[in-house]
Amino acid sequence: MGKGKTKGARRLTKKEIKKRILDLMERHASTEFDVKDIFRTIQADTHPAKMLTMDVLRELVLDDYLSTDERGHYRYAVRSQVMEGTFMRKRNGRNSFIPDDGGKSILVCERNSGHALDGDRVRVTMLARRPGHTREAEVIEVLKRARETFVGKLKVGHDYGFLITEGRALANDIFIPKDLLGGGQTGDKAVVKIVEWPDEAKNPIGKVIDILGKEGENNAEMHAILAEFGLPYTYPKKVEEAAERISADITPDDLKEREDFRGVTTFTIDPRDAKDFDDALSIRRLDDGLWEIGVHIADVSHYVKEGDIIDREAQQRATSVYLVDRTIPMLPERLCNYICSLRPDEDKLAFSAIFTMNDKGDVLTWHPAHTVIRSNRRFVYEEVQNILEQNGEASEEDLHQPGEHPARVEPGPDGKPVGEYATELITLNRLAKLLRKRRFAQGSIGFDRAEVRFEIDDQGKPISTYFKVAKDANKLVEEFMLLANRSVAEKIGKPGKGKRPKTFPYRIHDVPDPEKLEKLSAFIGKFGYRLRTEGSKTDISKSLNKLLEDVKGQKEEDLVETIALRAMMKARYSIHNIGHYGLMFDYYTHFTSPIRRYPDTMVHRLLTRYMAGGRSVNADKCEELCEHASAMEQLAAKAERASIKYKQVEFMAERIGQEYDGKVSGVTEFGLYVEINENKCEGMVPLRDLEGDYYEFDERNYCLRGRKRGRVYAIGDPVRIRVARANIDRKQLDFALVATEEPTPAAPKAKGRGRRGPKAKRSPKK
């Protein structure tokens, strides 16, 4: 039996665990330890000992004896009187300071925040700690502003105006002298730059640098969302003019250096509203019974040269941004929608990954190649899905999705399947399913959920909602894109024996936070589920997949999925390859979307360079570009979520007083978040509106608990709500509870794994 599990072995006490941890940290004051290191070193071998250790670690962090970072690493907290770090502003005035050493955040009350703004780099001094009170700091210097421009609504008086902001970045409105208003009027949405903030002044002084339009106008509101996150909402005229000068002609010299695929059956498969087609698939049967599959990607790097004006703008943007009603492209429209886009019935230059596969889905050979292609057909996902369903090739799960499904159609007299290019699509689908099955057998993790989308009228007004669900047609494309991305990464990352890999941008995804995994394991145990937290990466990922499968159709499904997602790290770009945990690939990159992602363009250039025998590029510069692209990706995602939230509030604002069935989707100390079943719009039931009891927030069990009557509200609970308020400025919906189920315990013990039923899924960004 393992150590600590022998019958009759004495359990470690909390006092002993605390002493062992402190002894360890004091002996190795400059060393970082992860949770597993600590378990092993202090000999916390049993599950109760591990849970007690987690409690002690939390207390030691709270008491400032230890510091921890986002990766779940712990170290001895050696704090100086003066520190540097990041200032984070909160609406309630209880701001915080995040030290550079990754330690616990420190309270900065509004009176001690100086003129610091949200995200600023600051220098603070520690205040003397009062017994029984939280440790506090005071800002003594702003080292670097996170931002200088702000978005809000103008309120203009006779001789001056104010910019009123809704975000948390500013505690006070921006004062704007009359001569700096730029013609702005009350009610205008505007972008204002802070030009001065005297020490004695309560308000910063600013000037209007752009008028976006009137409050409530769709364009003004969408531009305001982009400006709020520092994202561009217009395209520089000089860059567009440079794009207009690029020739779309394909010259004889271009063709000499390329493999010609214009005679091979090729098509694109994209969303209905797509305009930039950056990938296409080709397929042909080879003489020996094998399949040649081409993954063809728009050859952006042929037209956009490194360092030119278009490249500099694309590098700064790093990504296209997708709001509810529009796309803000990374490249000028002439390039992304016309010259580079793989439009049907037009000769196009591509950078391709060409695979030879057998009927079992095995890749026998592959090579990258610059090609010229001609797409025979532009498909949308729904068309491909209908062809698959008509021919009995769709997954059973797809057939159980809501909506109409075409009836099964028998093959024609020639025995061929029904539909345009049906034979090719069916073959690709079968191969994709084999690739997907193998990927999940190797531990790839399947987080999939339905996404809400809006039908928008000509004025940008939301008129209805629908759910975006990944079906076989989507997964078909996804699997071949994953195959191309992985193959390109392996080609550079595994150069062969005796050779060093050259500098290259990888798409990496770190292993889950060990502390969060332990929390998840402890929590789901209350429902009767189990999760491995130790063993190989594959062991843990397979256990996580089993958990996600087991909770399907259960009341606690959303709760378990939410906590599991929180344990996962964010994928990012880096030249330092650690593999992609979510996909369970040792090597992975982004090669397949250079029209909308700058790292893909980097990959194209470097792959071309290295195929020609070129030397490795500067690692520091490449890593800097990777970090910038990762940061811009996160900003773009935040802007997308903000636009969805705005349209949700706008949509529900016309439904004040209406009642809906929903479920609790989140629990905080401020109240309950509820998601409406029929449209996925989410709002809050404020704690003040929960009448009849005094509710306490149980953070560990993700619920609100009534002190007197024991009523518990937990994630996943069914509720009926009435739409009470809609604040479009704050993108905020308030609901009121109409009726609830009888009181239920927060975490009922389940005897078995329960029912399994089909459920819409969504996968995280890869």
Side-chain angles (χ1 to χ4, degrees):
M1 299 183 79
K3 188 168 184 177
K5 298 179 183 179
T6 305
K7 187 175 181 180
R10 187 178 65 84
R11 287 189 176 184
L12 288 171
T13 66
K14 190 172 184 179
K15 185 176 180 180
E16 288 172 328
I17 289 174
K18 183 174 182 179
K19 183 178 185 306
R20 291 185 184 189
I21 291 174
L22 288 176
D23 287 346
L24 171 66
M25 295 297 179
E26 288 170 0
R27 288 198 313 272
H28 306 280
S30 61
T31 304
E32 287 187 343
F33 296 88
D34 65 22
V35 173
K36 291 181 180 178
D37 291 334
I38 295 171
F39 288 161
R40 184 175 59 256
T41 307
I42 71 169
Q43 297 180 334
D45 300 321
T46 65
H47 188 70
K50 290 178 180 179
M51 292 299 98
L52 202 54
T53 300
M54 298 303 302
D55 288 340
V56 171
L57 286 171
R58 278 190 291 271
E59 291 174 6
L60 290 174
V61 170
L62 285 171
D63 291 337
D64 273 349
Y65 286 108
L66 302 182
S67 62
T68 186
D69 61 19
E70 62 181 12
R71 297 174 299 165
H73 291 172
Y74 293 87
R75 65 183 302 166
Y76 195 58
V78 182
R79 294 285 175 86
S80 59
Q81 183 65 28
V82 177
M83 292 185 288
E84 295 181 2
T86 305
F87 178 82
M88 305 298 291
R89 180 171 293 284
K90 295 184 179 178
R91 290 183 185 273
N92 60 10
R94 293 180 64 82
N95 311 311
S96 60
F97 167 77
I98 313 297
D100 284 343
D101 66 7
K104 177 179 174 287
S105 63
I106 301 166
L107 174 67
V108 182
C109 291
E110 191 60 44
R111 64 180 179 274
N112 297 322
S113 64
H115 291 334
L117 306 177
D118 188 55
D120 285 354
R121 274 194 53 74
V122 298
R123 182 176 288 123
V124 303
T125 184
M126 301 301 299
L127 301 179
R129 188 170 185 174
R130 294 177 293 168
H133 287 73
T134 302
R135 198 173 190 189
E136 294 187 43
E138 179 182 9
V139 175
I140 56 175
E141 184 181 358
V142 175
L143 302 174
K144 184 180 180 181
R145 292 286 186 198
R147 57 190 293 193
E148 293 182 332
T149 60
F150 296 86
V151 182
K153 180 173 60 177
L154 290 177
K155 184 176 182 181
V156 180
H158 182 65
D159 294 319
Y160 57 86
F162 283 97
L163 182 80
I164 302 169
T165 62
E166 293 294 344
R168 65 184 182 186
L170 282 168
N172 304 303
D173 300 327
I174 300 176
F175 175 81
I176 309 170
K178 185 177 181 180
D179 61 336
L180 298 180
L181 279 167
Q185 302 294 322
T186 295
D188 284 345
K189 283 275 186 173
V191 182
V192 170
K193 180 178 181 179
I194 293 178
V195 294
E196 186 183 3
W197 198 342
D199 290 340
E200 69 280 1
K202 179 181 178 183
N203 301 85
I205 300 170
K207 70 172 181 178
V208 173
I209 60 174
D210 200 4
I211 304 294
L212 301 176
K214 286 294 181 183
E215 179 188 19
E217 291 178 353
N218 187 61
N219 277 341
E221 296 294 347
M222 293 298 105
H223 287 171
I225 287 172
L226 292 165
E228 179 184 347
F229 293 102
L231 296 168
Y233 47 90
T234 58
Y235 217 93
K237 188 175 181 181
K238 287 184 178 180
V239 182
E240 290 184 329
E241 290 172 348
E244 291 297 326
R245 294 193 291 269
I246 294 177
S247 172
D249 295 337
I250 298 176
T251 67
D253 287 340
D254 292 333
L255 296 177
K256 283 180 185 177
E257 301 174 352
R258 293 175 179 266
E259 293 185 27
D260 194 340
F261 275 76
R262 287 175 292 183
V264 183
T265 300
T266 304
F267 37 73
T268 59
I269 308 174
D270 291 281
R272 188 176 298 278
D273 57 354
K275 296 178 181 177
D276 54 339
F277 313 134
D278 54 9
D279 59 77
L281 293 171
S282 70
I283 178 171
R284 64 178 163 187
R285 188 80 168 178
L286 301 178
D287 292 338
D288 51 6
L290 302 176
W291 296 101
E292 178 192 75
I293 310 297
V295 180
H296 306 286
I297 310 302
D299 196 353
V300 171
S301 61
H302 175 84
Y303 299 100
V304 180
K305 302 304 179 183
E306 188 170 5
D308 70 14
I309 187 173
I310 300 174
D311 182 60
R312 293 197 301 272
E313 181 67 23
Q315 185 183 112
Q316 183 61 34
R317 292 176 178 238
T319 181
S320 295
V321 183
Y322 295 88
L323 303 187
V324 167
D325 67 335
R326 68 194 64 200
T327 298
I328 296 80
M330 181 181 77
L331 297 172
E333 185 178 6
R334 175 169 164 77
L335 282 173
C336 65
N337 289 355
Y338 295 97
I339 295 180
C340 295
S341 184
L342 306 181
R343 290 145 55 101
D345 302 317
E346 296 179 11
D347 289 356
K348 293 291 180 179
L349 302 183
F351 202 170
S352 307
I354 312 300
F355 300 93
T356 301
M357 303 178 69
N358 60 23
D359 286 325
K360 296 179 181 179
D362 300 316
V363 175
L364 305 181
T365 63
W366 89 278
H367 70 279
H370 291 92
T371 60
V372 57
I373 70 168
R374 188 178 184 88
S375 173
N376 302 101
R377 175 74 150 81
R378 186 234 161 163
F379 281 107
V380 299
Y381 285 120
E382 291 82 0
E383 290 175 320
V384 174
Q385 186 66 30
N386 279 342
I387 290 172
L388 296 178
E389 292 187 12
Q390 283 178 332
N391 289 282
E393 293 288 333
S395 301
E396 196 67 25
E397 185 178 4
D398 287 358
L399 299 177
H400 283 89
Q401 294 291 347
E404 295 183 3
H405 298 277
R408 176 81 179 267
V409 179
E410 293 301 320
D414 55 3
K416 291 185 177 180
V418 177
E420 198 172 1
Y421 297 109
T423 300
E424 290 84 355
L425 290 170
I426 289 170
T427 301
L428 287 170
N429 186 51
R430 289 175 178 174
L431 293 172
K433 285 183 176 180
L434 291 168
L435 290 170
R436 183 176 176 83
K437 182 179 179 180
R438 189 173 302 149
R439 179 163 62 86
F440 277 92
Q442 293 169 350
S444 187
I445 300 172
F447 281 107
D448 295 326
R449 283 170 138 177
E451 298 178 23
V452 65
R453 289 291 184 265
F454 291 91
E455 294 285 355
I456 304 291
D457 67 14
D458 293 340
Q459 304 301 314
K461 185 177 179 180
I463 53 178
S464 65
T465 63
Y466 65 94
F467 300 138
K468 179 184 174 184
V469 180
K471 297 182 180 180
D472 281 347
N474 307 78
K475 295 172 184 176
L476 181 162
V477 175
E478 179 188 33
E479 285 307 319
F480 285 106
M481 298 306 120
L482 292 176
L483 177 63
N485 288 334
R486 183 184 65 181
S487 300
V488 168
E490 287 177 345
K491 182 174 181 62
I492 304 302
K494 299 167 67 176
K497 191 173 182 180
K499 296 181 180 179
R500 295 181 60 185
K502 295 179 179 180
T503 299
F504 200 64
Y506 296 94
R507 180 69 168 176
I508 64 172
H509 185 221
D510 209 347
V511 297
D513 184 324
E515 182 178 352
K516 290 180 179 178
L517 272 185
E518 291 289 346
K519 286 182 181 178
L520 173 61
S521 177
F523 182 72
I524 64 173
K526 300 173 184 178
F527 295 94
Y529 301 110
R530 295 291 180 267
L531 175 69
R532 289 193 64 164
T533 59
E534 294 182 344
S536 69
K537 292 194 300 183
T538 305
D539 290 338
I540 295 172
S541 66
K542 287 183 177 179
S543 178
L544 190 52
N545 270 334
K546 186 176 188 308
L547 171 66
L548 296 174
E549 184 65 26
D550 287 343
V551 298
K552 279 186 179 180
Q554 302 302 304
K555 173 179 174 290
E556 62 271 11
E557 177 182 6
D558 284 342
L559 173 58
V560 172
E561 283 191 351
T562 298
I563 303 171
L565 273 169
R566 289 175 184 170
M568 304 295 287
M569 297 296 189
K570 284 186 172 64
R572 57 190 175 90
Y573 299 103
S574 177
I575 64 170
H576 306 295
N577 182 46
I578 60 171
H580 194 295
Y581 180 78
L583 294 170
M584 204 51 65
F585 290 163
D586 291 331
Y587 297 87
Y588 188 65
T589 190
H590 273 171
F591 166 79
T592 53
S593 295
I595 285 178
R596 60 186 179 91
R597 295 186 305 223
Y598 193 76
D600 300 55
T601 303
M602 293 168 60
V603 165
H604 279 217
R605 287 175 179 155
L606 291 177
L607 184 57
T608 300
R609 176 190 179 102
Y610 297 155
M611 285 168 61
R615 298 177 63 183
S616 187
V617 296
N618 182 277
D620 291 340
K621 181 181 178 182
C622 194
E623 180 67 8
E624 185 180 327
L625 290 173
C626 286
E627 291 176 357
H628 173 69
S630 298
M632 295 303 291
E633 177 186 41
Q634 293 301 314
L635 284 178
K638 289 178 181 178
E640 179 185 0
R641 288 194 295 268
S643 76
I644 292 172
K645 189 64 181 177
Y646 180 86
K647 291 301 177 187
Q648 285 183 341
V649 177
E650 187 180 13
F651 182 70
M652 297 305 296
E654 297 185 351
R655 291 157 177 81
I656 301 294
Q658 294 185 20
E659 295 182 7
Y660 297 89
D661 289 321
K663 61 184 175 184
V664 177
S665 56
V667 183
T668 73
E669 62 267 42
F670 307 113
L672 304 171
Y673 283 102
V674 175
E675 182 182 85
I676 295 174
N677 294 339
E678 72 177 59
N679 57 32
K680 298 290 184 184
C681 291
E682 186 180 61
M684 172 172 270
V685 179
L687 192 63
R688 64 177 180 271
D689 293 343
L690 292 177
E691 300 176 352
D693 208 339
Y694 178 83
Y695 286 90
E696 296 175 331
F697 177 44
D698 184 347
E699 186 174 9
R700 180 172 295 185
N701 290 302
Y702 305 92
C703 66
L704 288 178
R705 192 184 306 276
R707 181 182 291 179
K708 295 179 181 178
R709 300 180 181 178
R711 177 65 169 100
V712 172
Y713 292 99
I715 296 178
D717 282 351
V719 292
R720 187 164 179 82
I721 60 92
R722 181 177 64 254
V723 182
R725 292 171 291 276
N727 187 322
I728 294 180
D729 283 346
R730 292 189 176 183
K731 306 179 188 71
Q732 184 174 306
L733 279 174
D734 281 353
F735 297 155
L737 289 182
V738 175
T740 64
E741 300 294 320
E742 289 299 311
T744 56
K749 189 77 172 180
K751 293 181 180 179
R753 298 306 188 198
R755 304 180 314 276
R756 296 188 183 184
K759 178 95 174 181
K761 298 180 174 182
R762 178 176 73 178
S763 53
K765 280 193 174 180
K766 300 177 178 73

Short mmCIF file of all heavy atoms in Angstrom, two decimals, residues 284-292 355-359 364-365:
data_model
loop_
_atom_site.label_atom_id
_atom_site.label_comp_id
_atom_site.label_asym_id
_atom_site.label_seq_id
_atom_site.Cartn_x
_atom_site.Cartn_y
_atom_site.Cartn_z
N ARG A 284 -9.02 14.09 -54.14
CA ARG A 284 -9.04 13.24 -55.34
C ARG A 284 -8.54 11.85 -54.98
O ARG A 284 -7.71 11.68 -54.10
CB ARG A 284 -8.22 13.85 -56.47
CG ARG A 284 -6.75 13.99 -56.25
CD ARG A 284 -6.07 14.55 -57.50
NE ARG A 284 -4.75 15.08 -57.24
CZ ARG A 284 -4.02 15.74 -58.13
NH1 ARG A 284 -4.51 15.96 -59.34
NH2 ARG A 284 -2.83 16.20 -57.82
N ARG A 285 -9.10 10.89 -55.70
CA ARG A 285 -8.73 9.49 -55.50
C ARG A 285 -7.46 9.20 -56.29
O ARG A 285 -7.38 9.53 -57.48
CB ARG A 285 -9.87 8.59 -55.99
CG ARG A 285 -9.67 7.11 -55.67
CD ARG A 285 -10.05 6.81 -54.25
NE ARG A 285 -10.15 5.37 -53.99
CZ ARG A 285 -10.43 4.85 -52.81
NH1 ARG A 285 -10.64 5.65 -51.77
NH2 ARG A 285 -10.52 3.55 -52.64
N LEU A 286 -6.47 8.60 -55.65
CA LEU A 286 -5.23 8.25 -56.31
C LEU A 286 -5.34 6.85 -56.93
O LEU A 286 -6.21 6.06 -56.57
CB LEU A 286 -4.07 8.31 -55.32
CG LEU A 286 -3.86 9.68 -54.63
CD1 LEU A 286 -2.71 9.60 -53.65
CD2 LEU A 286 -3.60 10.77 -55.67
N ASP A 287 -4.43 6.55 -57.84
CA ASP A 287 -4.48 5.28 -58.58
C ASP A 287 -4.38 4.07 -57.67
O ASP A 287 -4.92 3.00 -57.97
CB ASP A 287 -3.35 5.23 -59.62
CG ASP A 287 -3.56 6.24 -60.74
OD1 ASP A 287 -4.73 6.66 -60.93
OD2 ASP A 287 -2.59 6.62 -61.40
N ASP A 288 -3.67 4.21 -56.55
CA ASP A 288 -3.49 3.06 -55.65
C ASP A 288 -4.58 2.95 -54.60
O ASP A 288 -4.43 2.26 -53.60
CB ASP A 288 -2.11 3.13 -54.98
CG ASP A 288 -1.85 4.48 -54.32
OD1 ASP A 288 -2.79 5.31 -54.31
OD2 ASP A 288 -0.72 4.71 -53.84
N GLY A 289 -5.69 3.67 -54.81
CA GLY A 289 -6.82 3.57 -53.89
C GLY A 289 -6.73 4.47 -52.69
O GLY A 289 -7.62 4.44 -51.82
N LEU A 290 -5.68 5.29 -52.62
CA LEU A 290 -5.52 6.22 -51.51
C LEU A 290 -6.19 7.55 -51.86
O LEU A 290 -6.63 7.78 -52.99
CB LEU A 290 -4.04 6.43 -51.20
CG LEU A 290 -3.25 5.16 -50.84
CD1 LEU A 290 -1.77 5.49 -50.67
CD2 LEU A 290 -3.81 4.52 -49.57
N TRP A 291 -6.26 8.42 -50.87
CA TRP A 291 -6.86 9.74 -51.06
C TRP A 291 -5.80 10.83 -50.92
O TRP A 291 -4.96 10.77 -50.04
CB TRP A 291 -7.96 10.00 -50.03
CG TRP A 291 -9.12 9.07 -50.13
CD1 TRP A 291 -9.39 7.99 -49.36
CD2 TRP A 291 -10.19 9.16 -51.07
NE1 TRP A 291 -10.55 7.37 -49.76
CE2 TRP A 291 -11.07 8.08 -50.81
CE3 TRP A 291 -10.49 10.04 -52.11
CZ2 TRP A 291 -12.22 7.86 -51.55
CZ3 TRP A 291 -11.65 9.82 -52.86
CH2 TRP A 291 -12.49 8.74 -52.57
N GLU A 292 -5.88 11.80 -51.80
CA GLU A 292 -5.04 12.99 -51.66
C GLU A 292 -5.95 14.13 -51.18
O GLU A 292 -6.90 14.51 -51.87
CB GLU A 292 -4.40 13.39 -52.99
CG GLU A 292 -3.55 14.65 -52.88
CD GLU A 292 -3.17 15.20 -54.25
OE1 GLU A 292 -4.05 15.79 -54.91
OE2 GLU A 292 -2.01 15.01 -54.64
N PHE A 355 -1.92 16.04 -48.14
CA PHE A 355 -1.86 14.78 -47.39
C PHE A 355 -2.25 13.61 -48.27
O PHE A 355 -3.22 13.70 -49.05
CB PHE A 355 -2.79 14.83 -46.18
CG PHE A 355 -2.47 15.93 -45.20
CD1 PHE A 355 -3.09 17.16 -45.30
CD2 PHE A 355 -1.54 15.73 -44.20
CE1 PHE A 355 -2.79 18.18 -44.41
CE2 PHE A 355 -1.23 16.74 -43.31
CZ PHE A 355 -1.85 17.96 -43.41
N THR A 356 -1.53 12.50 -48.13
CA THR A 356 -1.94 11.23 -48.71
C THR A 356 -2.46 10.36 -47.57
O THR A 356 -1.74 10.08 -46.61
CB THR A 356 -0.77 10.51 -49.40
OG1 THR A 356 -0.25 11.37 -50.43
CG2 THR A 356 -1.23 9.21 -50.03
N MET A 357 -3.75 9.93 -47.68
CA MET A 357 -4.39 9.21 -46.60
C MET A 357 -5.04 7.93 -47.13
O MET A 357 -5.44 7.86 -48.30
CB MET A 357 -5.47 10.09 -45.93
CG MET A 357 -4.94 11.41 -45.40
SD MET A 357 -6.24 12.45 -44.66
CE MET A 357 -6.65 11.50 -43.20
N ASN A 358 -5.16 6.96 -46.24
CA ASN A 358 -5.91 5.75 -46.60
C ASN A 358 -7.31 5.83 -46.00
O ASN A 358 -7.67 6.80 -45.32
CB ASN A 358 -5.18 4.48 -46.16
CG ASN A 358 -4.96 4.43 -44.64
OD1 ASN A 358 -5.69 5.08 -43.87
ND2 ASN A 358 -3.98 3.66 -44.21
N ASP A 359 -8.11 4.80 -46.23
CA ASP A 359 -9.50 4.81 -45.77
C ASP A 359 -9.64 4.73 -44.25
O ASP A 359 -10.73 4.92 -43.72
CB ASP A 359 -10.28 3.66 -46.41
CG ASP A 359 -10.59 3.92 -47.88
OD1 ASP A 359 -10.82 5.10 -48.23
OD2 ASP A 359 -10.57 2.96 -48.68
N LEU A 364 -0.24 8.92 -44.58
CA LEU A 364 0.92 8.15 -45.03
C LEU A 364 2.08 9.06 -45.39
O LEU A 364 3.23 8.78 -45.05
CB LEU A 364 0.52 7.27 -46.22
CG LEU A 364 -0.67 6.34 -45.98
CD1 LEU A 364 -0.96 5.51 -47.22
CD2 LEU A 364 -0.41 5.43 -44.78
N THR A 365 1.79 10.14 -46.09
CA THR A 365 2.80 11.14 -46.42
C THR A 365 2.12 12.51 -46.44
O THR A 365 0.89 12.60 -46.57
CB THR A 365 3.45 10.90 -47.79
OG1 THR A 365 2.45 11.03 -48.81
CG2 THR A 365 4.10 9.53 -47.87
#
